Amino acid sequence: MTDVLKEALALKEYCTGCRQTVHQNPELSFQEFQTTAFIRRQLEEMGVEILPLELETGLVAIIRGGLGDGPVTGLRADIDALPLTEESGAPYSSQNPGAAHSCGHDGHVAVLLGVAKLLHQWRDRFSGVVKLIFQPGEEGLYGALKIVQSGALKDPDVEEVVCLHGWPYLKVGEVGVWPGEYMASADMFQVRVIGQGGHGARPYKAMNPIPAAALAVSALQNIVSSEIVTAKQAVVSVCSIHAGDAFNVIPGEVKFGGTVRCLDPGVRDELESKIRRTVEGAAQALGCRAEIEYTRGVPALYNDPGVTQNLEKAMVKALGQSHVKPLDGPVMGSEDFSNLVSAVGKGAFFRLGIGWPDGTEYTALHNGAFNFNDEAIPYGIAVMVQYILDRHSKDAR
């Protein structure tokens, strides 16, 4: 067992206590006031410096290496919860109705607090600066932009940024990272198909928007399969639709909306144009008109190959080759960590296994029954600390 992993394991009890405290007191995006205060207290007790930023929630701490000038690296943990009712049955279950840590951000906070404790103790072992980013509002998809706008990544300028995310499809003790395109951009659309309401018994006196909306929804499903290059991954999903209140009344309008995911910026532009054309055309074909509100969300997440390679080396060094597992490839979920990567210039996002060692299926993310596996915390700490020690060693530059 390496020294880094040994020391990380020694922090497990402390970090588990932190994780369960955060879990029991979940707060939604940009409402993480108690969570921020808790993190601040932990860092102050360690003696870690906290940057004086104008952030309502979230914070950024800084650890200066004792070996002089060197790299500047950001490590990020998201801190917000989901608008769900917890169903895990844990004795430390959510005390805030309608909020639950069902994506594991409580575990990410615990890992980064462990990293802070170990790096602060070992600051005479590395050069340069490490910025610890406790980011609000990841589920809201704009928390990373708040960090960027706060100036936290400047003076000194962060050159690389890294984060982890708990992953039920790897076992505890396993980690993995994928180079290049890894997570999709996330855009959304809201559509109003406007017709003319009337009596259900006299459709010829009305202009029913429901068939027009149905045609539009059906046609949207053909865009990816028929109009996007087969090798390019993309998703167009209609996820909500609302029309009418009575069985015998033709409504005046139909509202529906959905999400658009892709990995390629060019495809992203294509999809917006094709969705607008498809929806407007379907509405016009049946005598209605359409209004479309199309909102760009986070960009696709690109894992820098060089950062990825160095992360893999740190994984092997900290945990051993057998603990580093190949990932299945790009996923169509999205992460606003991509906004941090875009602001910094390069970074990487890696997976931390939280699944059961015996292979029993672990509860999926974004499920009310999900509960982060505390056994995984030391492995996340070990990888991040080893990455910093390697990148910020005296001979790194």
Side-chain angles (χ1 to χ4, degrees), residues 29-30 32 76 78-80 103 105 135-144 165 334-337 366:
S29 297
F30 307 117
E32 313 95 332
R76 175 269 217 170
D78 35 17
I79 70 174
D80 55 331
C103 194
H105 296 184
Q135 181 208 304
E138 189 279 325
E139 298 295 352
L141 292 180
Y142 297 104
H165 201 296
S334 301
E335 242 288 354
D336 86 332
F337 178 67
H366 287 225

Side-chain angles (χ1 to χ4, degrees), residues 26-28 81-86 94-101:
E27 296 173 296
L28 302 181
L82 283 162
L84 291 175
T85 298
E86 178 158 1
S94 170
Q95 294 183 342
N96 296 337
H101 271 294

Side-chain angles (χ1 to χ4, degrees), residues 6-28:
K6 183 178 178 180
E7 292 298 323
L9 286 165
L11 292 173
K12 181 176 179 296
E13 183 177 355
Y14 164 75
C15 292
T16 296
C18 290
R19 203 281 295 182
Q20 294 180 5
T21 297
V22 173
H23 185 94
Q24 196 168 30
N25 300 279
E27 296 173 296
L28 302 181

Side-chain angles (χ1 to χ4, degrees), residues 5-338:
L5 181 55
K6 183 178 178 180
E7 292 298 323
L9 286 165
L11 292 173
K12 181 176 179 296
E13 183 177 355
Y14 164 75
C15 292
T16 296
C18 290
R19 203 281 295 182
Q20 294 180 5
T21 297
V22 173
H23 185 94
Q24 196 168 30
N25 300 279
E27 296 173 296
L28 302 181
S29 297
F30 307 117
Q31 299 174 27
E32 313 95 332
F33 299 103
Q34 291 183 35
T35 305
T36 300
F38 174 79
I39 294 167
R40 181 179 293 274
R41 286 196 302 272
Q42 300 306 308
L43 294 170
E44 288 174 345
E45 288 175 8
M46 295 177 203
V48 173
E49 179 184 352
I50 299 171
L51 295 178
L53 303 172
E54 293 185 3
L55 288 170
E56 291 187 5
T57 58
L59 59 83
V60 178
I62 187 168
I63 300 177
R64 305 175 195 277
L67 298 182
D69 294 340
V72 183
T73 304
L75 301 176
R76 175 269 217 170
D78 35 17
I79 70 174
D80 55 331
L82 283 162
L84 291 175
T85 298
E86 178 158 1
E87 301 170 357
S88 73
Y92 48 84
S93 289
S94 170
Q95 294 183 342
N96 296 337
H101 271 294
S102 298
C103 194
H105 296 184
D106 51 340
H108 305 165
V109 169
V111 168
L112 199 55
L113 285 173
V115 170
K117 189 175 277 282
L118 201 47
L119 287 180
H120 184 63
Q121 292 171 1
W122 286 358
R123 56 193 182 278
D124 61 343
R125 300 190 186 187
F126 63 89
S127 65
V129 170
V130 179
K131 292 188 176 182
L132 306 172
I133 303 163
F134 292 88
Q135 181 208 304
E138 189 279 325
E139 298 295 352
L141 292 180
Y142 297 104
L145 288 178
K146 296 280 189 183
I147 295 294
V148 174
Q149 292 162 1
S150 76
L153 305 180
K154 300 292 185 181
D155 191 29
D157 293 359
V158 174
E159 301 158 338
E160 292 184 9
V161 61
V162 168
C163 80
L164 59 73
H165 201 296
W167 199 230
Y169 312 109
L170 294 176
K171 299 174 185 177
V172 165
E174 296 178 345
V175 290
V177 64
W178 182 271
E181 296 170 341
Y182 183 58
M183 298 187 78
S185 57
D187 300 333
M188 59 182 170
F189 58 89
Q190 294 289 336
V191 176
R192 288 179 68 212
V193 178
I194 303 163
Q196 181 179 326
H199 198 296
R202 292 183 290 276
Y204 51 88
K205 291 286 189 180
M207 193 63 70
N208 196 336
I210 292 179
L215 179 61
V217 170
S218 179
L220 286 174
Q221 307 312 303
N222 292 326
I223 291 176
V224 172
S225 62
S226 302
E227 298 190 50
I228 300 299
V229 175
T230 306
K232 302 287 187 180
Q233 289 179 264
V235 172
V236 176
S237 292
V238 176
C239 300
S240 68
I241 187 164
H242 304 279
D245 297 300
F247 78 98
N248 61 347
V249 176
I250 295 171
E253 67 178 33
V254 177
K255 294 181 180 180
F256 68 87
T259 187
V260 182
R261 309 293 176 104
C262 61
L263 297 165
D264 183 284
V267 171
R268 192 182 192 189
D269 293 337
E270 266 191 87
L271 285 170
E272 178 176 356
S273 172
K274 293 178 186 300
I275 287 169
R276 290 183 181 278
R277 181 210 68 204
T278 299
V279 169
E280 290 168 354
Q284 290 173 7
L286 294 182
C288 299
R289 64 185 178 89
E291 296 178 355
I292 306 168
E293 183 180 340
Y294 198 98
T295 305
R296 293 284 181 116
V298 299
L301 172 61
Y302 181 83
N303 280 340
D304 180 84
V307 178
T308 301
Q309 185 178 45
N310 290 333
L311 258 178
E312 285 183 337
K313 289 178 180 176
M315 291 171 177
V316 172
K317 198 169 181 179
L319 308 180
Q321 183 66 63
S322 63
H323 291 261
V324 182
K325 301 297 180 181
L327 299 181
D328 292 335
V331 296
M332 301 312 288
S334 301
E335 242 288 354
D336 86 332
F337 178 67
S338 60

